[in-house]
Amino acid sequence: MYLKLEIEVIVQRKILAVLIVAFLVSCSSYKKDRFVYNEFTWTDQFKASVFLACIKESYKGDSIYEQMGRRDVFFANDALHGQLGLINELGEHFVKKIPLPKRPCPECKKEDRYFLANCLKYYESRELDSIAKAEYRSILKQKKLQEQGEGLD
């Protein structure tokens, strides 16, 4: 009886150890790429453009976006041209969802929000990552279909 109980305890400990190891191995940390100036993937450009659309919508009617446009090129290329509608829609929709600050500030106006901080947080979000990756996959799929269609001629 004692031996049987001891074997059960050993088996339970081994199972627990395997579960702990499996848990630790399966929990991969979110890894960021090493920063390199002026190297932007398509998804980087998409996400940055959504961030800029968010800023543009946040500061609508203010000259800050125009001031930025005097010196920044804002990914002026054709890679995202077909997605500009979606990019602007995502930025506008996100800004509309930004809540009032939790702590009222005496000098804040009724329409003031944490625009910049929330837009940055959205840029870094897994939600925007998945949208950008899905769009990129869709574009690659469309290009592949176009190439296959051209090959049939």
Side-chain angles (χ1 to χ4, degrees):
M1 177 78 170
Y2 178 73
L3 184 60
K4 186 177 178 184
L5 187 61
E6 194 173 307
I7 292 173
E8 284 181 18
V9 170
I10 292 171
V11 169
Q12 286 177 350
R13 285 183 181 168
K14 285 184 178 183
I15 291 173
L16 182 61
V18 168
L19 288 174
I20 289 172
V21 169
F23 177 75
L24 292 174
V25 169
S26 68
C27 293
S28 63
S29 63
Y30 178 70
K31 295 176 183 170
K32 298 204 181 261
D33 295 331
R34 187 174 132 86
F35 178 79
V36 179
Y37 283 100
N38 294 332
E39 278 190 21
F40 307 105
T41 64
W42 189 95
T43 54
D44 290 338
Q45 292 179 51
F46 182 89
K47 289 174 54 178
S49 295
V50 171
F51 171 75
L52 291 169
C54 185
I55 295 299
K56 187 176 183 179
E57 183 65 23
S58 298
Y59 299 102
K60 209 175 215 175
D62 199 337
S63 64
I64 190 166
Y65 195 78
E66 293 169 16
Q67 300 260 343
M68 289 167 57
R70 291 183 185 154
R71 303 205 46 213
D72 199 307
V73 294
F74 295 136
F75 296 112
N77 62 33
D78 293 333
L80 300 174
H81 186 70
Q83 284 68 37
L84 291 180
L86 174 62
I87 287 168
N88 289 327
E89 183 182 316
L90 287 168
E92 290 170 13
H93 180 71
F94 181 78
V95 168
K96 289 176 184 171
K97 294 188 315 185
I98 296 176
L100 290 168
K102 289 183 180 179
R103 294 187 187 128
C105 77
E107 61 275 356
C108 294
K109 298 180 205 133
K110 185 175 86 173
E111 66 274 2
D112 290 348
R113 306 279 192 284
Y114 293 117
F115 291 118
L116 185 59
N118 280 291
C119 290
L120 277 170
K121 195 168 184 175
Y122 185 50
Y123 171 84
E124 283 290 319
S125 72
R126 288 188 174 144
E127 178 184 353
L128 190 56
D129 279 344
S130 63
I131 293 169
K133 288 174 184 174
E135 280 301 306
Y136 187 61
R137 282 191 300 269
S138 175
I139 287 171
L140 291 178
K141 189 176 181 179
Q142 288 174 359
K143 283 184 180 180
K144 187 175 182 178
L145 290 172
Q146 285 176 346
E147 289 170 0
Q148 288 175 349
E150 290 172 2
L152 295 175
D153 294 339

